[in-house]
Amino acid sequence: MCKRRLFSDVAQLHIGIMPLERIQNLGYDPGNASAKVAEAPNSADEALRHSEEKYRMLLDEIQDYAIFMLDPQGVVASWNAGAERIKGYKADEIVGHNFSVFFRSEDIKRGMPEELLRITATNGRHEFQGMRVRKDGSRFLASIIFIALRDRAGNLRGFSEISRDLSESKESAAKYRGLLEAAPDAMVVVNQSGEIVLLNVQAEKQFGYRRDELIGQKVKNIIPQGFAERLIADGTRTAAEALAQQIGTGIELTGRRKNGSEFPIEIMLSPLESPEGILVTAAIRDITTRKKTDAHVLELNRSNEELSQFAYVASHDLQEPLRMVASFTELLARRYKGKLDSDADEFIGFAVDGARRMQRLIQDLLAYSRVATRGNDLVHTSSEAALRRALMNLRGAIEESGALVTHDPLPTAMADERQLIQVFQNLIGNAIKYQNPGVPRIHISAARNADKKWTFSVQDNGLGIEPQYFEKIFVIFQRLHKRDEFSGTGIGLAICKRIVERHGGTISVESQLGHGSTFTFDLAGTEGKS
Amino acid sequence: MNHIEVESSHLDVLLVEDSPGDVRLTKEVFRDTNIDIHLHVAWDGVEAMAFLRREGKHVNAPRPDLILLDLNLPKMDGRVVLANIKADANLKSIPTVILTTSESEVDIVKSYRLQANCYLSKPVQLEAFENLVKSINDFWLTKVKLPQQRQGG
């Protein structure tokens, strides 16, 4: 950061001011100073006095820094052009007054001016950033260095203050401000005391303040909780460590606008090392919209969940009364067939058939909803073993039809084995069922696709499907044939689709009427073939 | 005087079930399966316990050879009935078969923990239900040897 240069200048100046014991001669106390000078009227002293005057002139002319002396009680003893320009007092208006007038009333109440002098006297030097008050009452953030001035004997003779108005730090701040303004997010730069040093126009807009209303204010005013606390050093960590723990992670907090309204924000912190200490740049994003979207997604998931639960419970509870209808119409049919008239036989027949079909529909609906509610985790699964199991379950149909089922070596895939068996079983079962006269030939293969998934194919030589039905056949309870041609509710492919989608894949069909069909579906793979 | 000491040719089964349709269906199927079964019905859990303990109007109730117990019952839940039976020194040796529509794993585990002798779910199809009743008859009422029953009250 260019900022670093600011105070290396000050440091050089500071060196230039030495030796300390001479500095008092630059001070206000003319009696004391002139007495000293008068005591040493030799040429060496003359030369010294001359050089001190040069320093004094130099200091007086410095515009960018307020440089002035205080006596041990904090009474202003000297004043330079920079001090006048920055603080707004002329030398004769301020010299002789206590320096506490530069502080905010709340700081004075806290005893800050005395405390500063005490610390400086103890440590010899004290550097900090703080809010200062100009003659006209306006405030500004200053970077300040206090130096205790002691004579050779070590007696405290006073203090020097070298300070700079940070809000006007020219090149560096301007450059940094330019950067901030270019950022899409609201940006706020905060010092270790939790005070706002810099902000961009997006931050003004977001929080509804004008810039000068925020500069120098506690960041707590706009982010009441969770930010300032994160910057503070404590017994177990330094400020740098405290900050390091927060860097780079989005922290969700609440922002407060000037009008008191609150909104969700996400902040990203990054440190900005400067000679004034570590500053923290916070990129602040209004996440109201995202939060709403999140809430919608959550709500959608919940209602999906509820719906599938509903389907399950409804179909389960429907089974009970239906069991009565089906059982008693069957009993009726069994005991009274031929004992009533032919109309009665026919009516009972329809009732029995209707009840049976409804039972199948409900069972299929239950099976369909169980894909989601009773699914197991996806684990490494041998698809070849799953296929063997499916073929075993189908052995009645295979023997009856004389179907020839062949397959390539099949890979290990990420799957719920029970569901993979069901997919194979439904697809191969369909291939056997929807057949031309002749021997059903079915071949199962797998190939790695571009997404590194495994694409499985179940190819048959059956009836085939017209292209306009390629999508429709996967919809629940959609059938292409009349009930007396082929039995079934139209659930098998819908279940396959649901299972494959639960596995993160897709299922589709390619077919030519009369020339068989190829169903393909993909599953996330694992390395190698099983 | 009681129903057991005679080489009684019939078996007593207590069906605890609140659905009249199910009661009738079970009666019909048992009648077709084994003519020697006397099916007694308790319509809720409280009545089931009264029957087993020969209380009130059930003072002359026979000690059943088998209990068929539904889980979801009015007044006293089937799970409580099961716990009461298995906590009663007089009753716990009576084979108690859970016969319910619930296929919930929770119910199954809980029933076995409460020492149900077996757990059966009612099949949806009539034929399957008939086969189930035949199995109950073949196993619990024909093949299984039970301890010598104690004379009740």
Side-chain angles (χ1 to χ4, degrees), chain A residues 309-450:
Chain A
Q309 205 59 34
F310 172 78
Y312 182 78
V313 170
S315 40
H316 184 263
D317 288 358
L318 281 175
Q319 259 188 344
E320 268 312 289
L322 184 59
R323 196 165 55 85
M324 292 294 108
V325 174
S327 299
F328 283 101
T329 47
E330 272 187 46
L331 269 181
L332 203 58
R334 211 181 284 170
R335 290 200 191 158
Y336 295 94
K337 197 173 171 63
K339 291 181 183 166
L340 305 166
D341 59 18
S342 62
D343 271 357
D345 284 352
E346 197 181 351
F347 295 171
I348 292 169
F350 282 129
V352 167
D353 180 55
R356 277 187 190 155
R357 273 194 290 120
M358 190 150 169
Q359 281 183 327
R360 278 216 57 184
L361 282 170
I362 287 177
Q363 279 167 2
D364 287 349
L365 205 57
L366 272 171
Y368 183 78
S369 83
R370 276 182 188 135
V371 170
T373 57
R374 301 278 174 91
N376 295 319
D377 290 344
L378 308 186
V379 295
H380 296 261
T381 300
S382 160
S383 57
E384 199 158 312
L387 174 67
R388 276 198 298 271
R389 184 60 198 264
L391 294 177
M392 210 143 76
N393 295 345
L394 287 165
R395 64 183 182 278
I398 292 172
E399 279 166 20
E400 199 179 308
S401 64
L404 290 173
V405 184
T406 55
H407 67 86
D408 291 346
L410 298 178
T412 297
M414 295 304 288
D416 172 342
E417 188 183 25
R418 210 166 42 87
Q419 295 191 334
L420 183 55
I421 293 168
Q422 196 172 9
V423 170
F424 280 132
Q425 198 171 319
N426 290 2
L427 292 179
I428 296 164
N430 279 350
I432 294 170
K433 182 168 157 188
Y434 299 101
Q435 261 300 336
N436 292 312
V439 179
R441 289 173 189 277
I442 299 153
H443 185 73
I444 298 99
S445 58
R448 199 112 206 202
N449 67 21

Side-chain angles (χ1 to χ4, degrees), chain A residues 68-345:
Chain A
F68 55 94
M69 308 292 161
L70 305 174
D71 74 7
Q73 282 71 48
V75 173
V76 178
S78 77
W79 203 243
N80 79 338
E84 180 178 330
R85 195 186 59 80
I86 292 170
K87 295 185 192 284
Y89 296 96
K90 291 189 182 310
D92 58 359
E93 292 172 325
I94 193 68
V95 169
H97 291 86
N98 194 280
F99 85 128
S100 62
V101 297
F102 306 142
F103 291 81
R104 299 180 293 191
S105 54
E106 60 261 42
D107 292 337
I108 297 169
K109 247 176 247 159
R110 286 193 290 144
M112 191 192 262
E114 297 81 10
E115 178 70 3
L116 277 174
L117 295 186
R118 198 187 56 71
I119 293 171
T120 309
T122 307
N123 301 338
R125 179 186 167 90
H126 185 52
E127 244 184 88
F128 64 101
Q129 281 182 17
M131 291 308 294
R132 284 300 174 88
V133 182
R134 295 191 187 93
K135 184 186 169 191
D136 63 6
S138 61
R139 296 167 173 200
F140 66 100
L141 184 65
S143 183
I144 300 157
I145 303 172
F146 270 98
I147 297 158
L149 307 177
R150 292 181 186 279
D151 58 23
R152 280 207 181 92
N155 300 314
L156 183 69
R157 303 300 297 264
F159 303 92
S160 70
E161 178 185 318
I162 305 163
S163 60
R164 167 153 194 152
D165 182 350
L166 277 181
S167 55
E168 66 178 17
S169 315
K170 286 177 203 113
E171 16 152 19
S172 58
K175 273 185 196 162
Y176 194 61
R177 192 171 294 144
L179 271 177
L180 289 191
E181 296 303 345
D185 291 317
M187 305 283 283
V188 169
V189 182
V190 174
N191 65 20
Q192 288 283 306
S193 322
E195 288 161 342
I196 299 171
V197 180
L198 215 58
L199 69 152
N200 65 359
V201 66
Q202 288 86 337
E204 288 183 272
K205 277 187 202 154
Q206 205 168 88
F207 291 97
Y209 286 95
R210 275 182 295 116
R211 190 168 307 229
D212 60 338
E213 293 176 309
L214 282 179
I215 294 285
Q217 297 303 308
K218 293 284 184 189
V219 72
K220 265 183 177 298
N221 292 337
I222 57 168
I223 304 174
Q225 277 188 334
F227 183 9
E229 296 89 321
R230 287 184 144 84
L231 309 177
I232 295 169
D234 57 33
T236 59
R237 56 184 194 180
T238 65
E241 283 166 352
L243 184 61
Q245 287 170 2
Q246 314 299 335
I247 299 307
T249 49
I251 306 161
E252 289 192 10
L253 298 171
T254 300
R256 183 183 289 160
R257 296 189 191 91
K258 189 180 179 184
N259 66 14
S261 60
E262 297 195 332
F263 59 106
I265 55 172
E266 184 184 63
I267 64 174
M268 295 279 291
L269 303 181
S270 60
L272 179 64
E273 272 186 55
S274 76
E276 303 101 278
I278 294 172
L279 297 177
V280 178
T281 304
I284 304 166
R285 185 165 295 178
D286 183 343
I287 53 169
T288 307
T289 317
R290 200 184 78 195
K291 281 278 181 192
K292 275 190 189 142
T293 312
D294 285 356
H296 279 146
V297 169
L298 223 69
E299 173 61 22
L300 212 58
N301 283 342
R302 198 191 55 77
S303 91
N304 255 344
E305 175 74 15
E306 217 166 58
L307 206 63
S308 86
Q309 205 59 34
F310 172 78
Y312 182 78
V313 170
S315 40
H316 184 263
D317 288 358
L318 281 175
Q319 259 188 344
E320 268 312 289
L322 184 59
R323 196 165 55 85
M324 292 294 108
V325 174
S327 299
F328 283 101
T329 47
E330 272 187 46
L331 269 181
L332 203 58
R334 211 181 284 170
R335 290 200 191 158
Y336 295 94
K337 197 173 171 63
K339 291 181 183 166
L340 305 166
D341 59 18
S342 62
D343 271 357
D345 284 352

Side-chain angles (χ1 to χ4, degrees), chain A residues 20-32:
Chain A
L20 288 178
E21 68 270 20
R22 296 290 179 204
I23 278 175
Q24 60 189 304
N25 295 337
L26 304 169
Y28 170 65
D29 193 354
N32 189 16

